[in-house]
Structure formats: structure tokens, C-alpha cells
């Protein structure tokens, strides 16, 4: 394995981070690399998406391996030579490493095609914000490339170098958003009897929303509802505002729980508003769905991870994360599995989305070995 080459590639991607759907340079780098290996390269899905196809033998079987291309709107505070050259943009989630590992695997497999079937290498834009996976699917990803299963991998700070975690079932949560506008009747602060105060209704509603998780859900169903925005009033101290705006996020692992939470939000907004003589307008928006691994594929990934990392280095009992991931859209369409690969210590700023974060180059060869072993096992 050309580890030095992979590290250089990873550093080049890290130094040139690009935001959602603007990954033009990264897309070019990936496409050139795949072409140089002799893979069939398809561009244009979701704009900057790249798909490489590697066929061998006569089997109809086909699997998809996915990496993400995008960076975050963050100002990098690292000072090492491969730090971001782009002001206000940073690879703070390690997607540079994910891309490098998948390219490394494409190279190994192209040079030693010891499998029977088709491998589809999927490089998607816009994981962080806009659901590039969803857009690729909407534009025909799985019609053009009918994979039997799809696999993803994310580096995981806090998990030791040399280790993997595989979840049978939910691995990441959904990420829904809600906005509630409370509409009252503005007026003079000294004459509240002539107004209908949306701010008081809002204060009561923020409190009431704390009962959604504790009272409306099965205690064995993990969920979090956080109110993160509350705006009302302007500059004046003597004006009762006409409107108050509350917003927040909901994370959970099952669609049924999302339904219950949305219904509870509707009920509480309407009820609290009515109690205070104001109107409530709820806008509940489903974001990334929960990321749920299928049992057979999770089992395969455990075997593969054990084969490359050793039996003691594969965790199968870690709790899932309340973070979200748009690979979930692919797992809604196809069976598959998304694993975590240890990035080492999360301390010292090396947590995801931290301005001091960096993908750990030491894990590049292990990530490549995992992808290669997975292909050989699945298409063996
Ligand atoms: Ni990420």
C-alpha cells in the first residue's frame, strides 16, 4: 500500500476544503484519480458527485462504497503545513480522510481485482448540511448503479486507533427541526389588558416542551428535544411584541417516535396558545432520517473489521450517536452498514467539528484494508 501517497492526497484535500455542492476541485481530484486507475468514471450526480465503477469476473453482484467530499464553514485554527488554504472553510469532520481511504481502496482493488462482481465507489457532496446523498438518489444513483448493498465509514474521535465500532440497527439519529410562531396582539407594556402577549405564551410553551420526551414517549425510546431559539420583541422596553418565535431540534432513532413528537408539538403549541389567547403556527421539518444498519450487513462488517483489526478491537455494544448522517438516505433504499473507525483521542481539540480537529493519518491504511476486505468477503 502506498501510505505516503495516501497521506499526501489526504493533506492536499485537507488544504483545499470546499462546502456543500461546491466541491469542484475535490470532485476533479477524485475523478482524475479514479480515471488513472482505469475505472469507469461518472460525474454530475448532485452536481459535484463522482461515481467510479470497477468490474471483475461475471457475477451480477454489485456493492456500493461511499465517502463524503464536503467540509464545514469553520475557520481552521491548526498551524500545520496542510491547514486550510480557504478562509472560513475547514475539513473538520474528516471527510478528507474518508475520501482518501476510499480512493486508496479503489487503487488496491484495481491493482489486485481478487473479487467477482462490481464495486461502485460513491463520492457524494454535501453530507454536512444539504443531504447530497438524497440528491444523488433523487437523480438516479441507484437506477444507474443498482447496488445490492451500500456501505459507509466515519472516523470516530474517542475510539482508539486500530479499533472499529459496528452497530446492529440504529447508529445515528434523525435530525428534525421545528419552528413555532406565536401570534398575539402587540400593545403598550403598561396596558397589557389591551394586548395578547405571545412572549408569555412562548415562555410557557418552552417549559411545556420539556414534557414531550418525559411524558409522551416510551422511556426505552431514546430521544432529545432541544429548544435552541427564542426571539420576541425589538429595541423597545415599553412594547408588548405581536409575535414570538421558538425553534429547535429533535433527535431520535425511529420514525414512529418522530411521529409522536410531532403530534405532541402540535398539541402543546395549540393548547398553550389557546390558554393564552394567541395563535400558534408549527412548522415541523424532517431532516436526515435515522441511520439504521441492516442485520446481515452489520454482521458481515463485524467479521470484516475483526479480520483486519483483530477480535478485541471491534466494539459491537457501543451506544449509537445522537448526531445525524445523510448516509441514512442510502440505507433507506438499500441494505447496508455504516461503521465507525477509531480516530484516537478526542481531547486536545480533536473532536469532530472543532477548529483544531484533524483526521488521523495513522488510520488510513486500516480504513483501506477494511474496504478491500469487505469487497473481497462480499464479492468473494
Ligand atoms: Ni462527518
Amino acid at each position: 500500500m502506498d501510505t505516503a501517497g495516501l497521506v499526501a492526497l489526504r493533506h492536499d484535500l485537507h488544504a483545499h476544503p470546499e462546502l456543500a455542492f461546491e466541491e469542484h476541485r475535490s470532485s476533479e481530484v477524485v475523478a482524475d484519480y479514479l480515471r488513472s486507475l482505469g475505472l469507469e468514471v461518472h460525474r454530475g450526480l448532485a452536481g459535484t458527485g463522482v461515481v467510479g465503477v470497477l468490474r471483475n469476473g461475471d457475477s451480477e453482484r454489485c456493492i456500493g462504497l461511499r465517502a463524503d467530499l464536503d467540509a464545514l464553514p469553520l475557520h481552521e485554527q491548526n498551524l500545520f503545513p496542510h491547514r486550510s488554504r480557504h478562509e472560513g472553510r475547514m475539513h473538520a469532520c474528516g471527510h478528507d480522510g474518508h475520501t482518501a481511504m476510499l480512493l486508496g481502496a479503489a487503487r488496491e482493488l484495481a491493482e489486485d481485482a481478487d473479487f467477482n462482481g462490481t464495486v461502485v465507489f460513491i463520492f457524494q457532496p454535501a453530507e454536512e448540511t444539504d443531504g447530497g446523498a438524497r440528491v444523488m438518489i433523487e437523480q438516479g444513483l441507484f437506477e444507474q448503479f443498482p447496488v445490492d448493498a451500500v456501505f459507509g465509514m466515519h472516523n470516530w474521535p474517542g475510539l482508539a486507533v486500530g479499533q472499529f465500532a459496528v452497530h446492529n440497527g440504529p447508529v445515528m439519529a434523525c435530525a428534525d427541526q421545528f419552528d413555532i410562531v406565536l401570534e398575539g396582539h402587540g400593545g403598550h407594556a403598561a396596558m397589557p389588558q389591551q394586548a395578547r402577549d405571545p412572549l408569555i405564551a412562548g415562555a410557557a410553551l418552552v417549559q411545556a416542551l420539556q414534557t414531550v420526551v418525559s411524558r409522551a414517549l416510551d422511556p426505552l425510546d431514546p430521544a432529545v428535544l432541544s429548544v435552541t431559539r427564542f426571539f420576541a420583541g425589538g429595541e423597545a422596553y415599553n412594547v408588548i411584541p405581536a409575535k414570538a418565535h421558538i425553534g429547535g431540534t429533535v433527535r431520535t432513532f425511529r420514525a414512529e417516535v418522530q411521529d409522536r413528537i410531532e403530534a405532541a408539538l402540535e398539541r402543546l403549541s395549540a393548547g398553550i396558545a389557546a390558554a393564552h389567547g394567541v395563535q400558534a403556527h408549527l412548522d415541523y421539518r424532517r431532516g436526515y432520517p435515522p441511520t439504521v444498519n441492516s442485520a446481515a450487513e452489520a454482521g458481515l462488517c463485524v467479521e470484516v473489521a475483526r479480520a483486519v483489526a483483530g477480535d478485541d478491537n471491534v466494539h459491537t455494544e457501543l451506544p449509537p450517536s445522537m448526531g445525524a448522517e445523510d448516509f441514512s438516505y442510502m440505507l433507506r433504499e438499500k441494505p447496508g452498514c455504516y461503521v465507525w473507525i477509531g480516530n484516537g483521542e478526542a481531547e486536545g481539540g480533536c473532536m469532530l467539528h472543532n477548529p483544531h480537529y484533524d483526521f488521523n493519518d495513522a488510520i488510513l491504511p486500516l480504513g483501506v484494508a477494511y474496504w478491500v476486505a469487505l469487497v473481497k468477503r462480499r464479492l468473494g
Side-chain angles (χ1 to χ4, degrees):
M1 194 181 299
D2 174 19
T3 305
L6 269 188
V7 171
L9 175 64
R10 208 281 292 176
H11 287 189
D12 175 65
L13 292 166
H14 189 93
H16 301 93
E18 297 170 300
L19 299 181
F21 297 121
E22 294 171 2
E23 306 92 339
H24 301 290
R25 183 186 183 278
S26 310
S27 172
E28 203 71 41
V29 168
V30 167
D32 287 348
Y33 193 98
L34 294 173
R35 266 191 220 104
S36 78
L37 302 173
L39 266 68
E40 186 184 304
V41 175
H42 301 260
R43 302 187 65 182
L45 281 173
T48 46
V50 187
V51 178
V53 180
L54 180 62
R55 292 189 184 87
N56 197 54
D58 53 9
S59 168
E60 296 283 294
R61 288 179 303 164
C62 178
I63 63 168
L65 311 180
R66 169 274 204 176
D68 35 18
L69 296 168
D70 59 322
L72 284 156
L74 207 66
H75 185 72
E76 179 154 9
Q77 288 178 26
N78 292 313
L79 297 174
F80 45 58
H82 63 277
R83 68 182 175 273
S84 172
R85 306 286 192 268
H86 297 162
E87 180 83 15
R89 282 175 265 164
M90 177 186 174
H91 267 298
C93 201
H95 298 183
D96 48 343
H98 302 164
T99 297
M101 290 189 294
L102 193 54
L103 288 174
R107 179 170 176 161
E108 296 286 308
L109 289 162
E111 288 174 353
D112 174 24
D114 181 18
F115 63 91
N116 190 9
T118 302
V119 186
V120 178
F121 298 89
I122 304 166
F123 296 85
Q124 70 149 89
E127 191 287 317
E128 293 290 355
T129 49
D130 294 319
R134 175 182 51 78
V135 178
M136 286 185 89
I137 293 166
E138 284 169 2
Q139 295 184 359
L141 175 66
F142 292 136
E143 284 78 42
Q144 279 187 59
F145 309 100
V147 301
D148 312 321
V150 67
F151 297 88
M153 171 158 50
H154 206 292
N155 77 95
W156 209 253
L159 188 62
V161 168
Q163 299 194 338
F164 287 90
V166 185
H167 297 76
N168 181 3
V171 48
M172 306 290 284
C174 72
D176 296 346
Q177 291 179 349
F178 64 87
D179 283 288
I180 303 165
V181 177
L182 294 165
E183 210 173 338
H185 187 75
H188 198 297
M191 299 165 214
Q193 77 281 11
Q194 289 169 358
R196 290 195 307 281
D197 190 344
L199 201 154
I200 299 297
L205 183 54
V206 170
Q207 298 285 351
L209 292 178
Q210 309 312 310
T211 65
V212 173
V213 171
S214 71
R215 301 291 88 185
L217 303 184
D218 183 329
L220 297 179
D221 264 323
V224 56
L225 182 159
S226 286
V227 175
T228 53
R229 298 153 64 95
F230 188 1
F231 308 121
E235 311 230 324
Y237 285 80
N238 57 357
V239 172
I240 292 172
K243 281 184 184 174
H245 180 143
I246 292 167
T249 186
V250 168
R251 309 291 174 111
T252 185
F253 296 104
R254 294 198 305 125
E256 297 77 10
V257 181
Q258 286 172 285
D259 294 343
R260 286 189 80 91
I261 292 174
E262 184 174 354
L265 274 165
E266 189 70 65
R267 200 167 57 236
L268 286 168
S269 305
I272 299 279
H276 291 267
V278 304
Q279 302 279 328
H281 309 280
L282 169 69
D283 178 21
Y284 191 93
R285 298 182 298 280
R286 306 254 165 153
Y288 292 174
T291 304
V292 184
N293 293 332
S294 52
E297 282 67 27
L300 171 70
C301 291
V302 169
E303 279 177 37
V304 170
R306 283 183 178 151
V308 298
D311 287 356
D312 297 341
N313 288 318
V314 181
H315 299 270
T316 55
E317 303 297 333
L318 290 190
S321 164
M322 278 291 169
E325 163 62 65
D326 87 336
F327 186 65
S328 51
Y329 289 107
M330 296 195 183
L331 289 180
R332 270 206 315 205
E333 304 292 321
K334 301 284 178 182
C337 181
Y338 172 90
V339 303
W340 295 343
I341 180 170
N343 198 58
E345 278 297 315
E347 279 160 33
C350 217
M351 191 54 208
L352 299 174
H353 297 203
N354 181 286
H356 290 285
Y357 168 83
D358 194 30
F359 182 88
N360 191 338
D361 289 322
I363 71 175
L364 286 167
L366 183 62
V368 172
Y370 168 82
W371 281 134
V372 170
L374 174 62
V375 168
K376 291 186 176 177
R377 181 88 48 134
R378 177 91 184 190
L379 302 180

